[in-house]
Amino acid sequence: EELLFIEGIAPAWLASLSPAFSRMTGVDVALSGSAQLEFDGEGRLREADLHLAGNEAAINLPKIFQAPVEVKSLQADVRLREYGAEWQLDELRLAFNDGGTVRVTGNAHRSKDGGAAEFAIVGQDFLVGTVHQFWPLPVSPPARDWVVKNIKSGKVPGLDASMSADIGSIGTPLVLSNFKIDARFPVRDATMSYRDPLPGATEVDADARITQSFFEAVILKGTTAGMTVTGGKILIDGLDKGKGHELL
């Protein structure tokens, strides 16, 4: 067992320790903190406890995010067990350039019979554009596409979301499938559209919820087609069936 104190280490160093950290090669940030590592007799990483932090991170993961994204700061407390078969994300904190923050916790496990991951996400005080940037591409693509296309701007004072996925059995390439998401968030001063040829709306305040299959919003106020709206509800179903199958 080895305890290291890290200062200015690039994530690629972590990737060199174990295939479990392979995606870290797409993160450009100087990390500081500590790492408690345990290797087996063949030099393979069996367990790791990581407590890391960094500023001004650039994340370039083409299979996860549509374009490179920037994070003002990050902090992570992660535990790896059984050569990466078991993960525990005690906490990941991200601060965005728009002033918003997100806290993520979760766990993942893989066995010969399959694997699963689940996460909880709590955020506050960020912009709709940040949601567009940081919603991972593999996570419920139809729901993501609808949000990116139809909620064009606005502020998100808070976010409370849960997310889960199957990640495949141990010894096989990590393949993500069967995503589920349930996110609730208020939107303020937003510009939204719904479905052609319906007119869009501006200055919208709403309390929204989105899952892999539907989007709903309780409208508090807004302006559409020259009219002021003081209440209402939107429900769009069929997001999981792909473009053209949505029902309003």
Side-chain angles (χ1 to χ4, degrees), residues 23 26-27 58-71 92 94 96 130-139 144:
R23 291 189 182 275
V27 181
I59 303 172
N60 184 17
L61 300 173
K63 293 183 179 180
I64 304 297
F65 300 114
Q66 189 164 13
V69 294
E70 296 181 352
V71 177
L92 171 64
L94 301 173
F96 305 121
T130 299
V131 178
H132 295 172
Q133 283 186 305
F134 283 88
W135 188 323
L137 293 172
V139 177
R144 180 190 183 278

Side-chain angles (χ1 to χ4, degrees), residues 142 212-213 238-247:
Q212 66 277 0
S213 59
L239 295 180
D240 54 331
K241 297 178 182 179
K243 186 175 180 180
H245 294 275
E246 307 95 330
L247 298 175

Side-chain angles (χ1 to χ4, degrees), residues 54-117:
N55 295 317
E56 306 300 335
I59 303 172
N60 184 17
L61 300 173
K63 293 183 179 180
I64 304 297
F65 300 114
Q66 189 164 13
V69 294
E70 296 181 352
V71 177
K72 186 176 181 180
S73 67
L74 64 84
Q75 293 178 303
D77 295 310
V78 186
R79 304 176 191 274
L80 175 150
R81 298 290 184 265
E82 298 298 327
Y83 303 97
E86 301 284 342
W87 282 80
Q88 180 69 40
L89 180 60
D90 290 337
E91 183 175 64
L92 171 64
R93 284 188 177 271
L94 301 173
F96 305 121
N97 291 325
D98 66 5
T101 61
V102 161
R103 179 178 182 267
V104 185
T105 58
N107 61 79
H109 66 273
R110 305 180 82 190
S111 69
K112 63 179 182 179
D113 298 319

